[in-house]
Amino acid sequence: MRHIAYHKMVIIVIVALFTLFLAERPIAAATGPVISISIKGEIDGGQAALVHKAMTDATSKQAQAVLIEIDTFGGLVDSAVSIRDMIINSPVPTICYIKNRAWSAGALIAISHKHIAIAPGGSIGAAEPIPTTEKTVAALKAELAATANRTGRNPQVAEAMVDKSLGFPGYAEPGQILALTDYQAIKVGYADIVASDRETVLAHYGLADSEVIEYMPGWQENLAGWLSNPTVKSFLMSIIFLAVLTEIKTAGMGVAALIGLIAAVLFFGSQWLTGIAGWLEIILFLGGLALILFELYTPGVGVFGISGIIAVFASLFLTLGANAAAINMLAISLLVAIVVFLLLLKRLPSSKLWSRLILKDAATKNAGFSSSQDYSVYLNKTGVTTTGLRPAGAMIIDGVQLDVVSEGQFVEPNTLVKVVNITGNRIVVRPVNS
């Protein structure tokens, strides 16, 4: 028994020492540097582009860790979701340092890290979306809860940060949105340490002597941030749609095609920098343009052109996130493009594809077309009723049976009647003996 107890004691000591070692150095040591990124101010495509660039370099440089310092009130949710995905899928360990606050979309980015440090007086939460609708609340609540669960934290805390109707006992009453202070974040497991500076953070995770490489936004990231603005993206898509419609109408491959190509490069280029657009979206777009051009310059029935237009729409839809917001933005952009196109329509020449898609001939009376048969030739002619008129019935004139009506009275069959009025298809008759 003593022998067994001795072995148990040895095992407990070994486990305790191993656990203590891991607690002091939670991030595995390596020879590479620490990549440092600062997310400050409004979260947009520029921030996502910077994180994308840093994450890519962190892998190639075999970095020990990526340190993301956050001080933000929030920003664009789609950009925050993109950053969240990059952090969660990163093969390099990541650390979040909340320098002042990580609110709204910033809270989503923060809890996507397995390691979180917070500065004295810092806070995290207050992630209620704007506009606050049932749909937006449900979507963002699910996103934060899933992220918290993925990183080993209580998802109910994350849900209370988004949905104020929930509350969280001891921290927020129902009807109050949850935001955690530094010491509260420690208590609920949403921060590992309160640290006054970066050096303290790195020392806590065993990275005190590591080289730190800071990534600052350059002109590419600033451009990506400007282009990620929803108004700018909608404007660029309107230009793309207008260029496609104009080329289908004219097949000129001129100024419209060049302007559309520039708009497409700016649109997809900014999404590429932020890591949102991949090869699939770009291939779909280029393939769609190729199909439209093929239709313009070869005999066909419009199949390639229509397929190309669908491919262009699909690429834009996927790039925008493939959600209801993407549909709304596409619809608004297309509407603007159509309005401008209609204003220019009479000034643009026509191409073969346009001629096949649009009906040019009109069935006019001058061209020999009529929406109904012309019965005016029977006016003032007489004939014999073949049925009783009650007041509608039938008669025969010159061997032709016609549907007619009387002036209101009953007319017996085999009565001689005269056509007194014709209005369209309505033929009015009167008995001759009247």
Side-chain angles (χ1 to χ4, degrees):
M1 293 293 292
R2 290 182 178 177
H3 182 70
I4 295 174
Y6 174 76
H7 279 287
K8 285 185 177 181
M9 184 64 69
V10 171
I11 292 173
I12 291 172
V13 171
I14 292 174
V15 170
L17 290 174
F18 183 70
T19 304
L20 181 62
F21 176 78
L22 289 180
E24 291 178 350
R25 299 180 64 86
I27 297 178
T31 58
V34 172
I35 303 296
S36 175
I37 314 165
S38 178
I39 295 180
K40 189 174 182 179
E42 184 176 356
I43 297 169
D44 57 18
Q47 308 276 13
L50 181 63
V51 173
H52 182 256
K53 178 182 178 182
M55 287 294 188
T56 303
D57 289 352
T59 303
S60 62
K61 295 177 185 290
Q62 297 182 336
Q64 296 183 68
V66 175
L67 175 65
I68 298 182
E69 299 179 344
I70 296 180
D71 183 6
T72 177
F73 290 102
L76 300 178
V77 174
D78 57 347
S79 297
V81 170
S82 175
I83 295 173
R84 174 258 188 205
D85 293 343
M86 286 185 275
I87 293 169
I88 283 184
N89 297 321
S90 172
V92 179
T94 62
I95 305 169
C96 174
Y97 180 33
I98 303 173
K99 298 191 71 172
N100 285 301
R101 62 196 60 82
W103 292 1
S104 192
L108 174 62
I109 296 174
I111 65 175
S112 62
H113 297 74
K114 284 192 175 295
H115 307 287
I116 300 178
I118 188 168
S123 59
I124 177 174
E128 186 178 43
I130 299 175
T132 309
T133 64
E134 183 179 354
K135 186 174 183 179
T136 57
V137 169
L140 190 57
K141 180 170 66 174
E143 190 74 38
L144 262 77
T147 303
N149 188 63
R150 179 80 175 267
T151 54
R153 298 184 176 91
N154 185 353
Q156 292 180 345
V157 175
E159 290 177 342
M161 291 179 176
V162 181
D163 189 349
K164 66 182 179 182
S165 67
L166 299 176
F168 191 74
Y171 296 90
E173 296 295 327
Q176 296 178 334
I177 201 71
L178 177 62
L180 300 172
T181 62
D182 48 0
Y183 62 90
Q184 290 175 329
I186 296 290
K187 287 183 179 179
V188 300
Y190 271 60
D192 306 326
I193 182 179
V194 175
S196 58
D197 51 41
R198 178 194 296 177
E199 290 70 23
T200 305
V201 174
L202 294 177
H204 177 78
Y205 294 108
L207 301 169
D209 299 326
S210 302
E211 176 191 5
V212 178
I213 301 177
E214 292 199 39
Y215 277 70
M216 303 297 292
W219 69 267
Q220 300 98 326
E221 290 74 34
N222 292 330
L223 177 62
W226 181 74
L227 293 174
S228 67
N229 184 285
T231 302
V232 176
K233 287 196 292 187
S234 182
F235 174 75
L236 290 175
M237 284 193 298
S238 295
I239 296 296
I240 293 171
F241 290 144
L242 182 60
V244 171
L245 291 172
T246 303
E247 286 305 309
I248 291 174
K249 180 71 169 66
T250 64
M253 286 301 294
V255 177
L258 179 60
I259 294 175
L261 183 60
I262 293 173
V265 169
L266 290 174
F267 179 82
F268 285 100
S270 65
Q271 304 302 301
W272 178 269
L273 287 173
T274 60
I276 295 175
W279 283 112
L280 174 61
E281 291 83 355
I282 295 176
I283 290 173
L284 268 176
F285 183 80
L286 295 177
L289 292 183
L291 287 172
I292 294 173
L293 292 175
F294 184 78
E295 184 68 56
L296 288 172
Y297 292 101
T298 59
V301 292
V303 174
F304 293 108
I306 294 173
S307 300
I309 293 172
I310 293 173
V312 169
F313 269 96
S315 67
L316 296 174
F317 176 68
L318 292 173
T319 303
L320 292 173
N323 51 27
I327 295 175
N328 292 336
M329 189 173 290
L330 279 170
I332 294 172
S333 302
L334 181 60
L335 179 62
V336 171
I338 290 175
V339 170
V340 177
F341 178 72
L342 292 176
L343 294 175
L344 298 175
L345 189 60
K346 293 184 178 181
R347 300 176 179 270
L348 300 174
S350 298
S351 69
K352 294 187 300 178
L353 177 58
W354 182 260
S355 301
R356 287 196 290 268
L357 294 176
I358 302 299
L359 179 64
K360 296 187 299 180
D361 298 326
T364 62
K365 188 172 183 179
N366 293 334
F369 295 94
S370 176
S371 60
S372 62
Q373 187 174 345
D374 187 6
Y375 293 103
S376 62
V377 294
Y378 298 110
L379 185 62
N380 297 322
K381 286 192 175 184
T382 59
V384 179
T385 58
T386 57
T387 66
L389 306 185
R390 301 174 181 270
M395 68 172 291
I396 291 181
I397 299 179
D398 298 335
V400 179
Q401 181 167 306
L402 302 173
D403 294 323
V404 298
V405 295
S406 70
E407 292 178 305
Q409 72 272 36
F410 172 74
V411 179
E412 296 285 347
N414 300 314
T415 300
L416 185 67
V417 294
K418 180 181 179 180
V419 178
V420 295
N421 186 29
I422 296 176
T423 305
N425 292 331
R426 187 172 185 269
I427 303 174
V428 182
V429 298
R430 180 187 302 161
V432 172
N433 57 10
S434 297

